[in-house]
Every structure is written in structure tokens, then in C-alpha cells.
Amino acid sequence: MKGFFQLLMANMKEIFRDRMQFGWFILFPVLFVAGFGVVFSSSGSPAAGDGTMKFPVSIVNEGEGAFTAAITEVFMNVPEFSVHMKTKDEALHEFAGGEAGLVIILPAGLEVLPVAAGDLIKEDRKIEIPVYCRPDQMYLMYGVNKIFHEAEKKVLGQPSVMEIKLNTAFPHDDGLENNGDNKTSNNAGLNMIDYILPGILAMTLMQLGLFGSIRVLALRVAKILKLLGATPLPRGMFLACEILIRVGMSFIQALVVIIIGHYAFGLTLANNWLYIAGWVLLGTAAFVAMGYMFTIFAKTVESGNAIMQLAQLMMMFLSGIFMPFDLLPGYLKTVMRFIPLTYLADGLRHAVAGNPSLYGVTTDLAVLLGVTAFCLITTVKRFKWE
Amino acid sequence: MTVIEVKNLTKKYGNLKAVDGLSLSVAKGEIFGMLGPNGAGKSTTFEITTGLLHRDSGNVKVLGVDPQKRPEAVKARIGVQLQAAQTFRKLTVMETLKLFAGFYLNPLPVNEIITQVDLAEKQHSRVETLSGGQKQRLSVAIAMISNGEIIFLDEPTTGLDPQARRDLWGSIIELKNLGKTVFLTTHFMEEAQKLCDRVAIIDYGRIVALGSPQELITAHFHEMSLEIVQPELRNEPKLWELTSVTEVIALNEHTVLRTPNLTATIRELSALAKALTINLDDFRIRQANLEDVFLKLTGRRIKP
């Protein structure tokens, strides 16, 4: 035990005395949260926050029925929306003219969804919901998505048959300027921050896991692992120590992201800390294990760095952490499904901000546990100590 | 009492036999050296005995325990210095030794070891600021701190200047005085000759000679060596015709004449020089050393 404690201290000294590394460890999440916070939060904009700002939404209800009426009502209850019922022609004319920034069309047939859903699922068909949204107000789409998902979930138990078809037909320029200041305040259910920041958190956990394992690689290249292997220190103890440090660092970063996100940018905190910690732990486990697995393929620190960079960039941009699911083209949606970060971000959005999970909490959990198990087993089988 | 027993050890890397039927035994309290060129199988034997590497066949017992079956039992009772292994860069000398001391049940006092390897001035310096020689001494200190019954040193003085090398020899002899057994590898002849009680000369994974340095020399040489450095003389074909000389070995920088009768050889040599009108002014006489033994046994010179 004395050896374990000594090793823990030694490792911590190694990490914290490397000013460059430690600086990035703290600075990186702060920069990201601040950057994205300013971009996506309304609190940085002088026009927002007074609650009087109403955002015009046109709804075209082509399929009159209880279900579509219920959806319309949800939109009406959002305080930042002023909802107008329009005919399709009117609405699209206004959209083209720049008078309306967001048009939602509830197509004929939608009203019978609660009854027809079973058949649709069986035939693998989806109902398209055309939505017109101006590019400069794209952040609203997150809220729109959420409302549809929730409505569907309430009725069907799972979101699966409604597909939002986004149109961004560009209105003429002066329209853009006239309404350019319209923003949503951050106490509505449409807070883009709630989407983005848990994604940023997922990304920092991924980075910490992937790049943290470079350290083990460096120790291996310097033959320090071999030297430790020549002492009576059990290998398990070395690993436990390594993992403990990774988990500790993850918690610190998560705390930084969440606290800055909450106090500076109004990130919703919907769950207790223990629940959030559980998800952070799960994400750390998955990506630390993945990082260790990647070190198998690297002979030098440089090649290790290259592998991690590649993995990180791919996951960062293909996981939809920067953009809601429905804003992405179809083929990317398929790719996203294979990126583990997608599920950590989804899980964290649910755990931190209480957003409805896009893929289901069970799916997120299963994917993360599966990734952890697969990477761990591969690592244990193939890992080289020297 | 035997503390290391190796019998018919073999280890292959692919088709290459790194260790090929090697047997040796080391007695308690001796300094035992494995001498050989790079790739001779020294480090492989070293790593198998310290429990770092699995063998293909043969028997190994260290302190009565098979290091392959119970590596942790062996590791707890030995101290190991590894060739080219670094330590944590951001830790100080003191912290490093405390860290490694923490892995053993009865480590030696950190301060004592720091003094012994002459790192007292650097004890609060980070490892990354140490010179190559200082790092090397630190890695030997790590082996010593264990207070193990056997101290394993893999090329402990590689990279040291001659003075630092001699200082470290002092520390190693000190270990012997403490009753420790020292098992080391080296490719420095002088080191093996001055430091080791017994030496195993290893080539192509086998032991080609084993004994104390003096035993090896007297067993293989009754002659003296006479080294000729002068370029105009050392390539002279008539050197091969000198009657008192038993063997002529032409090396890069000098030619070695072996002779059981030194007086006769010098007389012949000066006559030859006179005939060639060369001043005989640059030659050395010495007793045979381990290097000669190595050369004789392997037909090669050892290259550091």
C-alpha cells in the first residue's frame, strides 16, 4: 500500500509539474466552454434576457386532429414563441419574404399517428415533418426537435417515426437583417447551451481518456514500465493507480465545465451530482480503455499522438456534439450511429441537463459499457509492457 | 551457497537463438560478470533471471525460486538496474529513490544510497536536469535501494566517463562488502577484470569460458604480448618469420606478437628494425588480459 501511495504521488507530481500539460488540462475545457458558451448562449447578447422578446413561429396544420392540436399547444406554451396558425401558402410566402423565421408544417396524416405508428414502424416508414428555418436561427431547431421527440415519446413511448425535414431556403437579405436580433432566452426548454455544453463535456472526457494514455506509452518507450516491472510492485497496482488519476482528472474537468457552464451560461442542472458523476465515470472508463487500446498500435509517442489525433477528430466531428442530430445530412446520421462519443454526449445531455435522450438511456449505457469491455479485453490481451 | 543457478537455458527470438544452452551458477557474495559483445545473449539471460522474460527451456533458480513461476517472490528479494531504462523525468533524485524504496519491504535508507552514488549535491534536482552519468548512477542507486540479496546490474557503467566508472566500481565493491551478491553484464574488459570475482565470456548465446579473470588469462596464455604501433613496422611481413614468436595478430591500430621468451623476441625485433633501418621506438609489452582471452576464444574483438 505504501508503494501504491508513493506511485500515486509520483504520477501526480509528474503530471502537475509538467506546466504545459497541466495548463492545457485546465485551460482547454475553459476555453471550449467559454467559446461555445458565448456563441450559443443568449446571455451574451444585449437583446435577450428581458423575456419580452417573442419569436414568431408559423404553424401550418394540414392534418387536424387531437395529436396535431396537442403539438401546436406545446409550441404555444413556449413563452418565447408567438405562434401563428397559417395556411401553407401564406406561411411559405412569409418565410420567403423574411417575415417568418420558422415555419412548421404538420402534414396530413400526422393526426392519426398514435393509431398508425404501429404500421409505420412495421413498414419502416417515417412521417416527414417539413420545417423551414432561417440559417441564422438554426439554434431554434434544437428546441423544435426536442418538442417533437417529447411529443412522440409521450404518445409512442419512443421517438422513431417522425422525421423532421429541414429546409433552409434562403430568404432575401434585408429580411435577415430586420429580424437578426431575435434570440431565445435561456430559461426556455430551447436552450442550445443545454445541447452544446454536455457535448463539450463529452469531448473533454474523450480527449482526457485518449491523450492520457499517451503517458503510459511514454512510460513504455522510456522503459519505465519495464523498470517498474522489475520491482515487486504488482502490475495491477500500477494500473489501478493510473486509472485512479485519470478518473480524478476527469472529475476535475467535468466540474470545471459544468460550473462554468451553469454559472456563466445558464446550463440547466437537472440531476443530482451523483448521477452526473456516474455518467462521467462511465465516459472516462470507455475512453481511457479506448486510449489504452490504441497504444497497442503505437511504437513511439509521436505515432501514438497521431493515432489519438485522428480518432479524436473523427469522433469530434462525426458525433454531432456540435450540432443537433437532425441538422446533419442523412448519411452522416448513419455514421454518427457508429461513433461512441455520440452516445456519451447523448447520455451526458440527459444526465446533466435533463434533455430527453435521443437514442434512449439504455442504448447509451449499453454502448458505453460495450466499448469499455471491448477495449479493455483487447488491451489486456495485446498490451505490451515493453 | 549458490544464489543463482542456470541450467541449459535457451531462448529464441524467431529463428535467432539469443541464448543457446547456457549454464552458470553464482555463489553468494561474489561479483559475477557476464562479458560479451552486444547481442551475445547477456541481456536476455539477465532478464530471464530477473523474472522479466520467459525462457523457452532450461532451469533457472534465483534464491531457490524459479523466477518464471513466482516472479514476485524473486523480485521482492533482488534489486535491478536495467540498461537504457529511464525514470520519471519530473521527479527529483530524492523522490525517485523514495518511490522505489516504497516498493520493497526493507529498503536501505535513501540518504545513505544518495551519498554512496555521489548524488548528494543533486538530491533535490529533477531527473530531467541530470547529466547522462548522473542518470546512470541514479539507476544503479535504484537497484541498490532495494536492499536485495542479489543486485542485478545490466551494463551499469555504459555512458560513464572513466573517472565516474571507477567511482561506480567503488560502490559496487561496497555492495560486496555488505554481503550482497552482484550479477552484472558488461562489455568493458577492464571492468570485468578489475571488478569481477568470476567472469563468464558469452558469445552467440553460449558460455565460451568461465572463471576468475586471472584463471582465464593463465589458462589461455603463458605468453607475454608485445604490441607494435609503428605503421612502418607493424605491417612488415618479416614479423611473421620471427622464430621466438608463437603468434602474430594484426589489428587495426597495432600488431600483437605473442612470445614465451620476451628477451629473445626483443633481440630479434631490434635486429629486424636495424635491417629495415627503422628506429624501434614505439612498442608496448604487457601481460595478456581478458581482451586477449576474448580474442583468442571468439576470433573477434569486443566492440563497445
Side-chain angles (χ1 to χ4, degrees):
Chain A
M1 261 304 112
K2 191 173 137 223
F4 180 75
F5 182 70
Q6 293 269 14
L7 188 63
L8 194 66
M9 292 306 292
N11 270 304
M12 275 170 25
K13 282 177 189 160
E14 274 272 288
I15 291 162
F16 293 128
R17 281 179 187 170
D18 192 336
R19 290 210 190 92
M20 185 84 173
Q21 202 189 343
F22 184 64
W24 276 115
F25 163 68
I26 292 295
L27 208 59
F28 187 81
V30 173
L31 283 180
F32 254 91
V33 172
F36 280 92
V38 169
V39 172
F40 287 101
S41 154
S42 54
S43 55
S45 147
D50 54 10
T52 55
M53 217 51 160
K54 291 276 188 187
F55 190 87
V57 179
S58 304
I59 293 182
V60 180
N61 194 350
E62 293 185 321
E64 297 276 354
F67 184 59
T68 49
I71 288 179
T72 310
E73 207 179 312
V74 175
F75 277 97
M76 285 176 163
N77 286 337
V78 176
E80 285 75 19
F81 284 161
S82 67
V83 176
H84 309 278
M85 304 306 294
K86 297 272 164 74
T87 68
K88 191 172 179 178
D89 285 347
E90 270 173 355
L92 290 185
H93 183 74
E94 282 174 13
F95 181 75
E99 295 146 54
L102 183 63
V103 177
I104 297 161
I105 297 176
L106 305 175
L110 187 64
E111 72 280 4
V112 295
L113 184 79
V115 199
D119 290 340
L120 285 171
I121 293 171
K122 218 181 284 168
E123 293 161 30
D124 198 21
R125 278 197 299 129
K126 296 195 185 288
I127 291 193
E128 260 183 19
I129 317 268
V131 173
Y132 294 80
C133 183
R134 265 189 3 210
D136 65 319
Q137 284 158 357
M138 207 53 94
Y139 53 88
L140 291 176
M141 284 308 296
Y142 178 54
V144 174
N145 268 323
K146 197 165 159 181
I147 289 171
F148 276 100
H149 276 298
E150 271 183 348
E152 195 170 29
K153 224 170 144 185
K154 239 176 222 153
V155 177
L156 306 173
Q158 56 176 65
S160 56
V161 289
M162 284 199 291
E163 190 169 60
I164 288 175
K165 184 161 182 336
L166 181 67
N167 300 281
T168 53
F170 213 75
H172 45 76
D173 290 348
D174 52 328
L176 257 178
E177 272 168 13
N178 288 342
N179 291 317
D181 280 338
N182 276 327
K183 291 266 165 100
T184 158
S185 87
N186 56 18
N187 53 11
L190 322 163
N191 192 350
M192 193 63 183
I193 285 289
D194 286 352
Y195 183 88
I196 288 292
L197 283 196
I200 299 296
L201 176 57
M203 188 184 72
T204 62
L205 293 180
M206 169 190 72
Q207 278 193 321
L208 208 56
L210 291 183
F211 287 94
S213 65
I214 295 276
R215 196 179 131 70
V216 176
L217 186 61
L219 292 181
R220 185 171 77 202
V221 171
K223 294 195 176 179
I224 295 177
L225 285 190
K226 188 177 176 184
L227 186 62
L228 289 173
T231 72
L233 177 83
R235 278 177 176 172
M237 213 180 254
F238 168 80
L239 276 183
C241 177
E242 227 3 84
I243 288 167
L244 197 64
I245 288 173
R246 295 293 141 216
V247 170
M249 288 175 82
S250 296
F251 280 147
I252 293 172
Q253 278 205 339
L255 214 59
V256 169
V257 171
I258 293 172
I259 284 180
I260 296 181
H262 181 65
Y263 288 103
F265 303 108
L267 171 71
T268 311
L269 283 183
N271 280 303
N272 68 36
W273 288 103
L274 205 63
Y275 189 67
I276 297 173
W279 278 91
V280 169
L281 191 66
L282 195 63
T284 306
F287 286 102
V288 165
M290 189 183 286
Y292 284 157
M293 186 180 73
F294 287 151
T295 66
I296 295 171
F297 307 107
K299 283 210 166 64
T300 62
V301 172
E302 289 74 23
S303 62
N305 257 317
I307 294 175
M308 303 303 167
Q309 291 282 8
L310 188 71
Q312 145 171 284
L313 284 177
M314 268 179 45
M315 287 201 270
M316 212 155 88
F317 290 110
L318 295 179
S319 63
I321 52 172
F322 298 130
M323 240 181 290
F325 188 75
D326 287 287
L327 300 190
L328 293 173
Y331 64 93
L332 272 188
K333 283 184 204 169
T334 317
V335 175
M336 267 172 67
R337 289 286 188 163
F338 292 96
I339 305 285
L341 185 61
T342 305
Y343 300 93
L344 177 60
D346 193 48
L348 284 173
R349 281 193 287 266
H350 152 77
V352 177
N355 290 337
S357 161
L358 297 178
Y359 314 103
V361 176
T362 330
T363 314
D364 294 340
L365 240 144
V367 169
L368 292 175
L369 286 175
V371 166
T372 309
F374 173 80
C375 294
L376 270 186
I377 290 168
T378 315
T379 307
V380 167
K381 275 192 176 162
R382 304 274 307 275
F383 189 77
K384 295 184 193 82
W385 289 85
E386 56 171 289
Chain B
M1 197 178 98
T2 302
V3 289
I4 301 175
E5 181 86 66
V6 176
K7 277 185 192 157
N8 290 321
L9 180 66
T10 62
K11 175 76 184 176
K12 272 193 200 173
Y13 293 111
N15 281 328
L16 180 80
K17 281 184 179 166
V19 180
D20 187 9
L22 186 143
S23 300
L24 57 81
S25 69
V26 179
K28 184 176 160 55
E30 72 174 333
I31 301 181
F32 186 97
M34 287 194 289
L35 179 68
N38 289 331
K42 299 182 309 257
S43 288
T44 306
T45 308
F46 184 94
E47 287 178 12
I48 291 171
T49 45
T50 50
L52 281 168
L53 201 62
H54 281 195
R55 58 184 181 258
D56 292 342
S57 67
N59 282 312
V60 178
K61 285 267 160 64
V62 175
L63 297 164
V65 181
D66 184 338
Q68 185 159 323
K69 285 184 186 140
R70 293 178 55 216
E72 67 295 336
V74 170
K75 285 171 186 172
R77 293 172 64 191
I78 62 174
V80 180
Q81 176 253 327
L82 291 175
Q83 200 187 133
Q86 299 170 24
T87 56
F88 297 100
R89 293 171 56 236
K90 299 279 173 191
L91 294 193
T92 66
V93 168
M94 173 79 90
E95 286 166 345
T96 304
L97 288 171
K98 277 188 177 161
L99 167 67
F100 280 86
F103 300 152
Y104 298 92
L105 273 180
N106 292 306
L108 290 174
V110 171
N111 287 321
E112 203 173 283
I113 297 294
I114 286 180
T115 318
Q116 204 174 69
V117 298
D118 201 16
L119 283 173
E121 275 173 40
K122 288 281 177 182
Q123 59 179 315
H124 298 302
S125 304
R126 289 190 188 172
V127 170
E128 60 188 346
T129 67
L130 299 183
S131 72
Q134 289 164 339
K135 280 180 189 162
Q136 187 71 13
R137 289 191 329 251
L138 176 61
S139 80
V140 173
I142 286 171
M144 289 159 81
I145 198 105
S146 66
N147 199 13
E149 293 162 60
I150 311 173
I151 306 298
F152 286 79
L153 305 172
D154 196 1
E155 310 218 340
T157 62
T158 299
L160 294 186
D161 60 60
Q163 184 53 47
R165 180 170 299 151
R166 281 190 193 94
D167 289 347
L168 198 57
W169 290 349
S171 306
I172 294 171
I173 289 168
E174 188 59 31
L175 286 174
K176 185 190 163 167
N177 296 339
L178 288 171
K180 310 276 181 213
T181 307
V182 178
F183 186 71
L184 61 85
T185 72
T186 182
H187 54 233
F188 293 112
M189 294 293 170
E190 196 193 354
E191 182 163 294
Q193 193 158 351
K194 295 231 165 102
L195 199 56
C196 297
D197 296 312
R198 284 195 306 141
V199 173
I201 295 182
I202 298 186
D203 201 24
Y204 294 113
R206 294 167 193 250
I207 292 183
V208 290
L210 180 78
S212 76
Q214 202 49 53
E215 276 168 14
L216 291 178
I217 294 163
T218 47
H220 294 281
F221 295 101
H222 323 287
E223 300 114 323
M224 298 291 278
S225 289
L226 202 145
E227 293 176 356
I228 301 167
V229 187
Q230 280 171 283
E232 61 272 36
L233 190 55
R234 69 173 203 236
N235 297 320
E236 175 55 46
K238 288 208 168 71
L239 283 181
W240 273 258
E241 294 164 14
L242 302 179
T243 51
S244 61
V245 172
T246 48
E247 193 181 3
V248 182
I249 305 157
L251 299 172
N252 281 338
E253 318 88 65
H254 58 263
T255 300
V256 181
L257 309 180
R258 295 212 203 283
T259 170
N261 184 348
L262 192 62
T263 323
T265 306
I266 292 176
R267 203 177 295 135
E268 276 190 278
L269 197 60
S270 62
L272 176 65
K274 207 170 180 183
L276 295 169
T277 63
I278 299 170
N279 277 334
L280 189 59
D281 56 8
D282 196 1
F283 68 90
R284 293 192 292 255
I285 300 164
R286 58 170 180 81
Q287 278 201 304
N289 60 19
L290 269 184
E291 190 147 8
D292 299 306
V293 177
F294 188 83
L295 192 64
K296 185 171 178 185
L297 291 173
T298 66
R300 293 180 293 142
R301 297 189 79 199
I302 197 162
K303 289 226 177 62

